[in-house]
Amino acid sequence: MILVIGANGMLGHDLMATLEGDVRGVDLPEIDITDLVSVRKILLTLKPKVIINSAAYTDVDGCESNAERAMTVNGEGVGLLALTAREIGAKLVQISTDYVFDGKKGAPYLEADPVGPLSIYGESKLAGELNAAMAPEHLIVRTQWLYGIHGKNFVETMIKLSGEKSELAIVDDQIGSPTFTRDLALVIKALVEKGGSGIYHAANSGFCSWNEFAKAIFAETGANVTVNSMTTKELNRPANRPLYSILDCSRLERDSGLKMRDWQDALREYLSLRK
Ligand SMILES: NC(=O)c1ccc[n+]([C@@H]2O[C@H](COP(=O)([O-])OP(=O)(O)OC[C@H]3O[C@@H](n4cnc5c(N)ncnc54)[C@H](OP(=O)(O)O)[C@@H]3O)[C@@H](O)[C@H]2O)c1
C-alpha cells in the first residue's frame, strides 16, 4: 500500500488522484505527524510499503513568527515518520523545496549543491530532509512555486486580484519555475514505481519571475491588468526568499526519462481545468 500523508493539501489531492492501486490518504486530524502516538497508530495499523509525506506547515511568512511550529511539523514530524518507516520497513518519500538554497549560485541548482536556507521555513524543510534520510529507504523530491486546483496559490490570487484591480505591482527579481501539482504528482508516481532514492529536483521546465508569471496568467485569462515591477526588498515580506532558485532537473531526466513540460503549457492546462 502507498500512504499519502497530507492528502487534503494541494499536492496531496493530486497525488491521491494520480497514484494507482492500493492507495490510502490521511491528514489532520486522523494523523498528526508531530505526535509519535498518532504516527505509530496509523503506520503500524496500515503497514504501508511507501509513505509519501506531503504534510507540512507551508505558510512561509507565518513560519518566521512561529519557528517552533515550523520546526516541529516540517522537521521533527518527518523524523517521527522516518523512525516509524524504519520500524515497519517502509520507504519514506519526503517533499521538499528550493527554499533550502540561498539563491546566490547564479545557475540552476543541482541536488548536491550546498544548501543555505534564508528563512525559518527553509531551515525547517532542510531539517525535514535530514530527518527523512534516517529512513533506510528514502526519496526526497525538491520542488518549487507550486499551484494546483485544490489549494491557495499564486494563480488564484492573481485571478482574484484581476477582478478587483486594474494595476498591480509584482516582484520581478525572484526567478523560479512555476510548477503544476498534477505534473509533480505524475513525476512522484513514476519515481516511486522506478524505485528512485536519494534527492531529486522536479519542477516544470523553463523559468520566469513572479512578475512574468502574473503577466502570463493575465495574458491567458484575458484580464486587462497592468503589471508593474517591484523588488523583493520593496515588498518587505517577513521571510527572506532566494532570488534565483531554478532547480536543475537533469538527474530526474537521466534516471527516469521524465522531462517535465514547460511551465506555460502546464499553466494553460491548469486554467482550462479550473473553469
Ligand atoms: N506550495 C508550494 O509552493 C511549495 C513549494 C515547494 C515545496 N512545497 C512542499 O510541497 C509539499 C506540499 O505542499 P502543499 O502546498 O500541497 O501543502 P498544503 O496545501 O499546505 O498541504 C499540507 C497538508 O498538510 C496538513 N498538515 C499540516 N500539519 C500537519 C500535521 N502536523 N500532521 C498531518 N498533516 C498536517 C495540512 O493540514 P491543514 O491545512 O489542516 O494544516 C494540509 O492538508 C509540502 O511539503 C511543501 O513544503 C510546497
Side-chain angles (χ1 to χ4, degrees):
M1 177 209 282
I2 301 177
L3 181 68
V4 177
I5 305 180
N8 295 342
M10 189 164 66
L11 175 62
H13 258 103
D14 283 343
L15 283 168
M16 291 305 295
T18 304
L19 294 164
E20 287 165 356
D22 190 5
V23 183
R24 261 293 299 268
V26 285
D27 206 310
L28 284 170
E30 192 180 355
I31 189 169
D32 179 351
I33 63 167
T34 68
D35 175 1
L36 183 60
V37 174
S38 163
V39 166
R40 290 189 85 246
K41 184 172 164 219
I42 294 286
L43 296 188
L44 269 60
T45 305
L46 298 177
K47 293 198 173 61
K49 284 265 163 285
V50 178
I51 301 159
I52 304 179
N53 179 37
S54 189
Y57 177 34
T58 54
D59 177 351
V60 175
D61 290 317
C63 286
E64 292 298 311
S65 49
N66 221 333
E68 199 179 320
R69 179 170 165 210
M71 291 307 288
T72 307
V73 178
N74 297 342
E76 290 158 26
V78 183
L80 300 183
L81 295 177
L83 286 176
T84 316
R86 174 195 291 261
E87 188 179 346
I88 62 171
K91 177 174 192 161
L92 179 60
V93 181
Q94 170 65 13
I95 313 303
S96 194
T97 169
D98 58 325
Y99 285 10
V100 298
F101 294 117
D102 65 11
K104 294 179 184 144
K105 184 184 173 192
Y109 280 97
L110 294 161
E111 286 81 355
D113 278 331
V115 289
L118 301 174
S119 62
I120 302 285
Y121 171 75
E123 276 181 30
S124 69
K125 293 295 292 181
L126 178 58
E129 289 190 5
L130 297 172
N131 283 342
M134 289 194 301
E137 273 194 279
H138 62 270
L139 166 66
I140 294 163
V141 181
R142 288 191 190 128
T143 188
Q144 64 180 176
W145 292 28
L146 293 184
Y147 62 92
I149 307 283
H150 303 281
K152 276 195 267 173
N153 64 69
F154 183 80
V155 185
E156 291 306 318
T157 303
M158 289 303 114
I159 291 172
K160 183 168 177 287
L161 286 173
S162 71
E164 298 164 1
K165 298 186 173 186
S166 58
E167 201 167 338
L168 292 170
I170 307 289
V171 290
D172 65 357
D173 59 353
Q174 284 175 45
I175 310 290
S177 307
T179 299
F180 185 15
T181 46
R182 269 205 185 195
D183 290 8
L184 180 62
L186 281 168
V187 162
I188 294 168
K189 174 175 182 269
L191 282 173
V192 167
E193 285 169 358
K194 287 172 192 288
S197 64
I199 304 177
Y200 278 90
H201 287 174
N204 278 122
S205 302
F207 57 86
C208 61
S209 65
W210 289 112
N211 185 287
E212 290 165 323
F213 190 22
K215 284 179 179 155
I217 294 161
F218 298 141
E220 288 295 333
T221 57
N224 194 11
V225 180
T226 303
V227 181
N228 299 317
S229 293
M230 75 186 304
T231 63
T232 300
K233 209 168 168 197
E234 283 165 342
L235 185 61
N236 195 23
R237 299 291 288 270
N240 287 322
R241 287 151 167 88
L243 292 184
Y244 180 101
S245 56
I246 297 163
L247 298 173
D248 183 319
C249 300
S250 48
R251 179 177 184 219
L252 174 71
E253 211 176 323
R254 211 169 44 244
D255 291 1
S256 69
L258 288 165
K259 180 167 167 56
M260 293 179 74
R261 62 181 159 172
D262 282 339
W263 67 266
Q264 291 98 330
D265 293 338
L267 172 63
R268 247 171 253 126
E269 191 186 355
Y270 172 83
L271 292 171
S272 72
L273 289 170
R274 71 175 285 284
K275 279 175 188 158

